[in-house]
Every structure is written in C-alpha cells, then in structure tokens.
Amino acid sequence: MGRSDEFRGPRVRLPQLKLDELLEELQARLDAARGTRDRVHRLLEAVLSVGRELDLEQALRSIVEAAAVLVDAEYAALGVIGPDGRKLSAFHTVGVSEEQIARIGPFPEGHGILGELISHPEPLRLAKISEHPSSYGFPPNHPPMNTFLGVPIRVRDQIFGNLYLTEKRDGAQFDEEDVSVTSTLAVAAGVAIDNARLYEESRLRERWLRASAEITHSLMSGSERAQVLGLIAEGAREITSAALAVVAVPMEDTGSLTVELAIGRNAQAHRGLVVPVDESLIGRAFATAAPVTSTDVSLDRRVAAGPPRFSGLGPAVAAPIGTGDGVRGVVLLVREAGRMVFSEKETELLQGFAAQAAIAMELAEHRKDAEEIAVLQDRDRIARDLHDLAIQRLFATGMTLQSAGRFIEHGEASERVLRAVDDLDETIKIIRSTIFGLRSREGAAGSGLRARVVRVVGEAAPVLGFAPSVRMEGLVDTDVPKDVADHVVAVLSEALTNIARHAHAGRADVVLTAGGREVRLTVTDNGVGVPPEGRRSGLRNMAERAQQLGGGMELSSPPEGGTTLVWRVRLPEN
C-alpha cells in the first residue's frame, strides 16, 4: 500500500499538465480564429463601405481610412498616379493633421519609396524604410516612420495609384496577412473607383448636355453673340472647376485672334487682348482645330506676349469652338496652380461641348443671314418703288409746273411756281440719296479700326524686333468715327516708330479703349524713357492731333522704367 500511495501523485499530475497545455493551445487557436473572423468582418465592412461611395473624392478617402483600420496603421495615404505615369497627381492622407501638412510642405510627387511602387507595382513590405536603397529620408517636420506596407490599386488593368501604410501600432511589423488583407481591399477599391469614375463621367456628360441645350436655346431665341459667348465661358468654367475662362474669336484679314470675353481670375488683363495665331496657346488650338493643353500656363512659352496675367494659375486647356475649317473661336480654361491637369476625358467632353456650341452659332448666323437678306430685299423693293414711282411722278409734276409758269403773267406767282420747281428738284436729289443708301452695302472687310490697329502693330514688329501685345476694349469699330480713327492709327504708328528708334525696349503694350464718349490709346514700353534733349517733333505732332479733336496727351516715365504714352480725345455726340 505504501508503495502504491507513493506513485499515485505523479500518475495524476502528468495527465493534468498535458490537459492544461491542450486547453491553452485550444484557447490560442480560438483567439486566432476569433481574430481572423473579426478581421474578415472588418474587411467585408470596409469593402461594403468603399463600394457604397459614388463620389470619387469621398471614395478615395474611405479607402485610405479603411486600410488604416484593417492593418492597424498609424499613418495611411493614397497616391493617385498622374497622366504621365511617373508622378503622383493627388495625395490623400490619414493620421496627419492639416497643421502638420502645412509645416511639411507640398505633397510628395512620387520619389523614393513612393516612386518604387510606381516603377514596380507590386506589394512592398519593409521593416525599416531607411534601409531600402530607394529611400532618401523625409522632409523637415515630417513624423518619424519605420515600418511600411505599400500595395498598388488597379482599375481595369491600369495602375490608378498606390496605398501607403506606415507605423503599425504597438511597434509590431506588417505581416503576410496584412499584405493579403490590404491587397484584397485594393481589388475592391479598384472596382469602387471605377464605379465612382463612371458615375462622375455620366453626371459630367449630363451637365455638358444641359449647358449645350441652354446655349442652343439662347441662340435660337435671338440672343446677342456676346451673351452666348458668356454662356459658353461660364458653363465651361463651372463644369471644369476652372479659375479663368477666356473666349477668343478671329479678326478679319489680320491673322490674329481677339479676346472678346474673359471671366474669373485676372479677367480684366485678358479682355480685348489681340493674340497671334502662330505664336500662342490659343492660336495653336485655332490653327490646328484641336485641343491644346498645358501643365502650367504661367511657365508656358506659347503664351502670347504682354504683361503677366496668369499669376496663381497652372493647368490649362484651349479648345476650338468648331471643327475643321469651321472654327469660330477658342475657349481657354485655366485652373489654379497645384490643381490637377485636364484629363483626356475632360478635354474630350469640352471639345464636344465646344463643337455643339459652334453648330448652334452657325445655325443662328444662318438665320440672321436670312433675316438680313429679307431686309435687303425689302430695301431693294422700296428703292425700286421710289425710283420708278415717286421720282418719276415728282419729275413729271416739276415739268408740268415749269411749263405752266410760262403762262403766268403775275410776277410773284410765277416766282413761287419756279421756287416750287426748285424744291421738287431738291426733293428728287434727297430721294435719290436715300435710294443710294438703301442699296449700299457694308464697307470692305478689314477696314475697321480694330483691323487697322492690328496691321500697324504687325508692320512695326520687324522693326522693333518683337511683337507688341495689343488689347482693345469697347465698340472700337462702331463708336469711333473714321476721321478720329485715322488720327488714332497715325498716333499709334508714330508711337511705335519712336519706340523702335529711341527706346531700346524689349516689350511694348498697346491698349485701345472706346467708351464713355472717349477713345483712349495707351502705349507702354520698358525702354530707357524719353531723353530730355531728344527731338520732340513727333510728340508735338501727336499732341496737336489730340488738341484738334478736343483731347490731350500725357507722357510719363514710371518708377520701374520705360515710357507710358496716353492719347485721348472726346467722341462726337450721335
């Protein structure tokens, strides 16, 4: 018995230890299964949450937030790859405050580790970012980051962007399960992004169609062209979220375009500007009848000469209004600096909108031409009736009175009859003058003041060594009489000649405005100014021309250098 009792203890304790180990292992597996179940549930919730979003920006934000929660990362970001396929065009972050972002500076463009995923779109997991060959550190004020997980997002077999996750909480490392979960989310994100983009494109097309319908209705209702151009510019600017919209139309027989309308930032600096077809962004779109884009218009060499007018602006697109030989103008849209460049889809929709606007404008012009033909035909009928009926009857009446006067013996009565005959002759002359006016047509194309000013500037360019910028505002061709227009052209020619001979300038700006019963010509250059001992005969002639028309001329040299000539005269009352 004693020996039996001696060995009873060990026989009981050994199975008990094994049972405890088995229970602990079972509990661990249950915890792991529960953790896996919870993670799967979180993944499903994240997929559903992301899939519900139809707004693209909100969908991207949801993807970043879901990724950070799924892998327990302190920081997360989604970088959208730009059209060039080499840089990031947008960056959405989680875990970094707005104040921190402001201190760090501009968002990354895709260098270093971020660029590694752009070049090699495969999942990338790092225990320490700084140890990777592509890493070259963080900018000042950037929070410290060590662990890293990056996963590409594909949309229809195209790389849309990358998910970047850093600093797994509690100092842990990202594992293969994190890679698997994030890759699964990236697949769902690609579907969600595709749906959001399709929805956004459908809404965008709907907005373009509504804008086109409004323009067509306005034109068919008889609205003025300026009002219709305003609808084109405002509609395009609003739909594309542009900061500036400019509409330029061709000038007859000058080979140039003039900015007829500008709305938005720095619009005043663009209105009335004359743009050469062969040396400008707008002119290129007009000449090729195809859209022309710029990643940064403020640095683009294709921008026409003149004072800086694109400060604070960046991406731009110029689209022709019309196609082929029927281009009726160009609409230029410019976004603020730092905004996304115009995508191919946006440019395609803008081009379709502009083409529809051109068709509506052509239909309206045909209708206007038909109305004008009807008016001219009516004028011809009136002129014919006046000539064939009124003049002949008046002439016959005059002949009758003249013959009757010979039989009147009373001197005063005979004199009155002769005066009546003379009055009839004058009346016939007036009617003939009216007939001539009814049958007259518009003057020769290109004879207006606008065209003459552009020609003078163009002729001066070879002598100056550069093309001056030209801007015209107001009803220059309508309000300025021919005799005043002749003086304006002569003064402009003299001013540009003086700049070429004496100023040694590298830039000149010409501004012509008509309004408020006054025409004003301003010519500015950045040359050496007018020397005190210089010849004044040309300036005296320009001043005398202004005085003859009741106006005046001022010549000044701004502190920053150069010369400003302002020549102005009052316009006669109608």
Side-chain angles (χ1 to χ4, degrees):
M1 288 293 294
R3 183 172 296 181
S4 177
D5 292 339
E6 181 180 352
F7 290 99
R8 186 178 298 165
R11 283 201 300 269
V12 174
R13 285 195 298 271
L14 187 59
Q16 183 68 40
L17 288 173
K18 290 182 178 180
L19 181 60
D20 289 343
E21 291 175 1
L22 288 172
L23 288 174
E24 289 177 1
E25 183 178 351
L26 178 61
Q27 184 64 44
R29 292 191 178 187
L30 286 173
D31 290 342
R34 190 179 295 111
T36 302
R37 181 201 63 187
D38 293 342
R39 173 168 271 196
V40 170
H41 284 173
R42 289 201 305 270
L43 177 60
L44 290 174
E45 289 175 0
V47 169
L48 291 174
S49 174
V50 167
R52 281 194 296 265
E53 293 294 344
L54 288 177
D55 180 81
L56 182 58
E57 290 296 317
Q58 189 57 45
L60 298 178
R61 182 76 183 177
S62 298
I63 293 167
V64 180
E65 293 173 348
V69 172
L70 279 175
V71 299
D72 207 21
E74 185 174 354
Y75 305 107
L78 193 157
V80 180
I81 300 175
D84 60 0
R86 296 190 300 271
K87 294 183 179 179
L88 299 177
S89 61
F91 207 72
H92 304 265
T93 63
V94 168
V96 185
S97 66
E98 293 294 331
E99 292 77 8
Q100 286 178 301
I101 293 173
R103 288 197 300 270
I104 295 170
F107 282 118
E109 295 183 351
H111 304 294
I113 295 296
L114 306 188
E116 182 70 19
L117 258 75
I118 297 175
S119 304
H120 304 90
E122 298 292 338
L124 177 63
R125 181 164 57 97
L126 301 174
K128 197 171 184 61
I129 296 175
S130 59
E131 294 178 355
H132 193 277
S134 298
S135 176
Y136 61 82
F138 296 103
N141 302 314
H142 196 285
M145 295 179 180
N146 291 298
T147 55
F148 175 85
L149 173 60
V151 176
I153 297 176
R154 288 178 170 83
V155 177
R156 296 191 180 189
D157 297 328
Q158 296 291 325
I159 301 299
F160 174 82
N162 295 303
L163 272 173
Y164 307 111
L165 302 151
T166 61
E167 291 302 286
K168 191 174 178 71
R169 298 184 188 277
D170 298 328
Q173 297 287 326
F174 293 109
D175 53 26
E176 287 297 334
E177 190 174 345
D178 292 327
V179 175
S180 177
V181 168
T182 309
S183 298
T184 304
L185 178 64
V187 173
V191 176
I193 290 169
D194 192 30
N195 290 337
R197 286 166 66 175
L198 291 173
Y199 177 71
E200 190 175 79
E201 286 178 12
S202 67
R203 289 182 61 192
L204 199 58
R205 288 183 185 276
E206 183 182 351
R207 294 181 68 186
W208 282 121
L209 288 174
R210 281 204 305 267
S212 295
E214 184 179 0
I215 290 168
T216 303
H217 175 75
S218 179
L219 281 167
M220 294 299 105
S221 301
S223 298
E224 294 293 332
R225 189 179 75 157
Q227 182 180 350
V228 175
L229 292 179
L231 287 175
I232 294 174
E234 186 58 50
R237 185 174 80 102
E238 181 181 349
I239 293 172
T240 60
S241 300
L244 171 69
V246 170
V247 177
V249 295
M251 300 178 66
E252 290 188 63
D253 299 333
T254 63
S256 300
L257 302 167
T258 180
V259 176
E260 189 158 324
L261 186 79
I263 54 176
R265 179 178 291 186
N266 299 335
Q268 186 61 35
H270 295 267
R271 294 188 187 116
L273 192 70
V274 175
V275 182
V277 170
D278 54 349
E279 300 176 2
S280 64
L281 191 72
I282 292 176
R284 187 67 178 166
F286 181 82
T288 60
V292 179
T293 59
S294 174
T295 56
D296 190 347
V297 71
S298 64
L299 302 177
D300 201 311
R301 295 182 178 180
R302 294 171 294 179
V303 171
R309 52 191 183 277
F310 289 107
S311 59
L313 300 175
V317 59
I321 302 175
T323 57
D325 296 331
V327 178
R328 298 175 177 275
V330 176
V331 57
L332 173 70
L333 301 173
V334 190
R335 285 175 174 155
E336 293 180 346
R339 296 289 303 276
M340 290 185 64
V341 298
F342 288 88
S343 65
E344 290 185 9
K345 180 59 66 176
E346 287 180 308
T347 303
E348 176 190 336
L349 293 173
L350 172 61
Q351 188 176 13
F353 166 74
Q356 289 293 327
I359 293 172
M361 291 172 69
E362 184 174 0
L363 290 174
E365 286 177 8
H366 286 324
R367 189 196 65 178
K368 187 176 180 181
D369 289 342
E371 292 174 351
E372 288 182 355
I373 289 172
V375 170
L376 293 174
Q377 289 174 342
D378 197 38
R379 285 183 176 183
D380 285 341
R381 181 188 58 78
I382 294 171
R384 187 170 56 251
D385 290 346
L386 285 172
H387 183 272
D388 296 343
L389 300 176
I391 287 183
Q392 297 303 325
R393 296 189 66 176
L394 287 172
F395 187 74
T397 301
M399 292 291 292
T400 301
L401 287 174
Q402 193 172 16
S403 298
R406 298 172 185 167
F407 301 102
I408 299 175
E409 297 180 355
H410 192 281
E412 186 177 348
S414 177
E415 185 180 348
R416 288 187 178 184
V417 170
L418 292 176
R419 280 205 304 268
V421 172
D422 292 338
D423 289 342
L424 285 174
D425 287 339
E426 288 298 321
T427 303
I428 290 171
K429 291 179 181 178
I430 292 172
I431 293 175
R432 281 177 172 165
S433 176
T434 302
I435 292 171
F436 178 79
L438 287 170
R439 288 178 170 171
S440 65
R441 298 293 184 265
E442 294 291 331
S447 61
L449 180 56
R450 284 180 182 271
R452 294 175 68 187
V453 167
V454 173
R455 277 198 294 271
V456 169
V457 172
E459 291 168 359
V463 181
L464 290 166
F466 58 87
S469 72
V470 184
R471 183 159 57 92
M472 288 178 271
E473 297 182 26
L475 302 176
V476 173
D477 288 336
T478 305
D479 287 354
V480 183
K482 185 179 183 305
D483 58 335
V484 178
D486 292 341
H487 286 287
V488 171
V489 172
V491 170
L492 175 59
S493 179
E494 180 69 26
L496 293 176
T497 300
N498 286 343
I499 293 174
R501 288 178 177 175
H502 311 297
H504 304 292
R507 194 189 78 207
D509 306 315
V510 176
V511 179
L512 178 65
T513 59
R517 308 309 311 161
E518 181 184 76
V519 60
R520 178 188 296 260
L521 174 67
T522 305
V523 182
T524 307
D525 68 73
N526 64 346
V528 298
V530 179
E533 68 281 359
R535 294 180 61 185
R536 300 276 173 163
S537 57
L539 297 175
R540 185 167 56 252
N541 291 338
M542 289 188 281
E544 288 175 355
R545 287 179 182 272
Q547 292 167 4
Q548 290 172 9
L549 298 172
M553 186 188 82
E554 293 90 33
L555 194 68
S556 62
S557 295
E560 59 272 17
T563 303
T564 298
L565 181 147
V566 179
W567 188 90
R568 52 181 174 74
V569 298
R570 297 288 296 174
L571 294 174
E573 297 288 341
N574 292 332

